[in-house]
Amino acid sequence: MVAVDGARLWRDLMDIAKIGATSRGGSHRLALTDTDKRARDRFAFWCEEAGLTITRDEMGSMFARREGRNPELPPIIVGSHLDTQPLGGRFDGVYGVLAALEAIRSLDREGIATDHPIEVVNWTNEEGSRFSPATMASGVAAGAWGLEETLARTDKDGVSVGDALQSIGEAGTRPARLSPPHAYLEIHIEQGPVLEAEGLPLGVVEGARGQVWYNLSITGTEAHAGAAAMNLRRDALAAAAEIISMVEKFALIEHPDAVGTVGSIKASPNSPNVVPGKVDLTVEFRAFDHDALRRLDGHFRAGLEDVARRRSVAIEHEVSMRTDPVSFDPSLVDALADAAESAHIPYRRMASGAGHDACRIAAIAPAAMLFIPCVGGLSHNEAEEITPAWAEAGARALTLGILAADRLDFIAFAD
Ligand SMILES: [Zn+2]
């Protein structure tokens, strides 16, 4: 049985959390900023200390390689991301990268060689907060979008991904389009409340919800709040209110498979005595089932037309992101469950509500994920918290998962 050094892993987590530490105990490390660079340097230092060889791809994603008995075999890639949300937590992403590194150190300590090389990955810009979209580099790696268009994307100050990569010196030469690895594994905090509520230290993730995101722009007529008669108004915010209720209603019809959210809204002129003439808002639906997502999309679009007609407002909508539901590789999922069982780590099988780099790589290689609990289900939040015991159990399961993946012969991968 392989032992991992939980104390070392925890020290590393706390150490890297100091880079971009926020006043309320979180981390603020937006992709390709100087703080991200410092975290990358720290990670690279630890990897080199562990004897790993680092390469960077054209998107700046870092791959730290431990050679296998057969260097010709495609690697097992394990990792996550070091970037955070603005005012994010200390564990989202970071835990997955450092747990993977600790897994390698554990194999070294125990003198265990694998047939396949192992590469610990730090994906560039998973969060998508500075540059859209999220899972940016793993998306390029899996061919979901192209390299050139991605490098040209800009942040709110007009700085492109390509320029940001150059300015921190993280652009590499390894092709950003990944040649399919033997397997891809990622461990992450759950970002939901299920594991903690059930007192389980581990989740074996079978798949992830598909998502469809919209940007809506509603145009009515600005008018005097005292003088404009109710029956003659074209109130953009009242129309938005109907749309918000509609999103909630449609998502509840598909409960518990689906969720629907309006997370951002901007009314203008946003003045107490003016009937709002324009509202911009975002809407998103997520569901595990393809058909449920299709139904939500269809009902929502029909609903928009109905609101626009009845209220005489113009509603423009664009889909800003769409991803299909993901099913992880069943044999890899089973192998992770077996690994947890053999290590006597209580677990449950579950699905992910959030998108992850693993969901991208699942398009080109056998992929699967593990979750550890997070306190109160909180993430994307400075108060994000885990326990050292959860961190250690997860890293142990991941290490065994890597060994199991090494032994697996996947039936030719077909997407
Ligand atoms: Zn994450």
Side-chain angles (χ1 to χ4, degrees):
M1 187 56 54
V2 186
V4 304
D5 185 345
R8 169 81 203 254
L9 172 57
W10 193 256
R11 255 196 331 273
D12 290 354
L13 285 165
M14 293 305 106
D15 198 8
I16 226 161
K18 288 183 200 142
I19 302 171
T22 65
S23 58
R24 287 188 296 171
S27 291
H28 177 86
R29 280 194 310 274
L30 297 188
L32 306 183
T33 54
D34 289 340
T35 24
D36 184 22
K37 168 68 176 163
R38 282 165 54 211
R40 287 164 170 267
D41 287 349
R42 185 70 51 89
F43 170 60
F45 174 78
W46 287 330
C47 288
E48 279 157 12
E49 200 178 54
L52 307 181
T53 310
I54 296 184
T55 51
R56 290 170 180 78
D57 73 12
E58 296 156 300
M59 281 297 299
S61 294
M62 305 166 72
F63 299 83
R65 183 175 172 107
R66 179 188 197 249
E67 209 45 84
R69 274 195 215 99
N70 184 350
E72 303 301 314
L73 291 175
I76 298 167
I77 298 184
V78 198
S80 196
H81 59 95
L82 293 176
D83 70 320
T84 74
Q85 290 282 327
L87 303 182
R90 296 174 296 167
F91 305 103
D92 178 347
V94 190
Y95 171 69
V97 177
L98 297 186
L101 174 57
E102 186 50 40
I104 295 229
R105 290 181 188 137
S106 308
L107 297 180
D108 286 346
R109 273 193 304 269
E110 311 271 335
I112 299 173
T114 52
D115 287 335
H116 299 81
I118 307 170
E119 293 185 348
V120 179
V121 64
N122 165 36
W123 294 110
T124 294
N125 189 30
E126 190 278 342
E127 294 290 3
S129 357
R130 180 178 175 199
F131 302 101
S132 166
T135 62
M136 177 178 264
S138 55
V140 175
W145 39 73
L147 174 64
E148 294 311 318
E149 54 178 294
T150 307
L151 290 174
R153 285 184 167 266
T154 52
D155 67 8
K156 63 176 171 41
D157 300 319
V159 179
S160 72
V161 171
D163 288 345
L165 274 168
Q166 293 299 335
S167 71
I168 61 165
E170 286 291 301
T173 52
R174 173 170 163 151
R177 186 77 156 86
L178 188 68
S179 57
H182 173 67
Y184 177 83
L185 292 174
E186 179 166 356
I187 189 163
H188 202 278
I189 60 169
E190 181 196 342
Q191 302 181 279
V194 175
L195 292 174
E196 188 191 26
E198 296 185 0
L200 295 171
L202 195 71
V204 173
V205 187
E206 298 179 296
R209 282 189 164 120
Q211 312 182 22
V212 53
W213 298 8
Y214 315 81
N215 291 325
L216 296 191
S217 184
I218 308 170
T219 309
T221 307
E222 263 175 48
H224 191 289
M230 292 307 289
N231 63 334
L232 298 176
R233 291 182 181 200
R234 298 170 65 233
D235 184 332
L237 189 52
E242 265 199 56
I243 291 167
I244 294 168
S245 308
M246 186 168 88
V247 167
E248 194 179 39
K249 186 180 84 188
F250 289 162
L252 279 169
I253 291 170
E254 304 285 351
H255 172 83
D257 179 67
V259 290
T261 306
V262 174
S264 161
I265 184 163
K266 202 171 87 207
S268 74
N270 207 25
S271 162
N273 10 68
V274 180
V275 177
K278 189 163 187 322
V279 172
D280 294 315
L281 71 160
T282 62
V283 175
E284 59 148 88
F285 292 108
R286 305 186 189 206
F288 295 122
D289 180 63
H290 277 95
D291 293 334
L293 204 56
R294 218 168 291 139
R295 278 195 298 275
L296 285 165
D297 191 31
H299 290 157
F300 179 63
R301 285 162 192 261
L304 290 182
E305 277 174 32
D306 176 53
V307 172
R309 196 174 47 244
R310 280 188 291 100
R311 292 183 165 272
S312 303
V313 293
I315 304 179
E316 285 172 49
H317 68 275
E318 55 152 18
V319 173
S320 60
M321 192 181 77
R322 183 192 295 277
T323 60
D324 287 332
V326 173
S327 296
F328 288 138
D329 185 89
S331 56
L332 196 53
V333 169
D334 286 346
L336 290 177
D338 291 347
E341 226 145 85
S342 70
H344 306 291
I345 301 171
Y347 72 96
R348 63 167 282 161
R349 289 170 179 256
M350 60 195 301
S352 172
H356 293 286
D357 293 310
C359 303
R360 294 289 170 198
I361 304 306
I364 58 164
M369 289 187 80
L370 293 167
F371 278 168
I372 58 165
C374 53
V375 174
L378 276 186
S379 82
H380 289 189
N381 188 314
E382 290 170 277
E384 197 176 87
E385 192 61 85
I386 66 174
T387 71
W390 293 340
E392 180 176 338
R396 199 148 48 95
L398 182 66
T399 309
L400 295 173
I402 292 169
L403 293 176
D406 187 44
R407 290 186 298 266
L408 274 182
D409 266 326
F410 296 99
I411 305 160
F413 187 78
D415 63 2

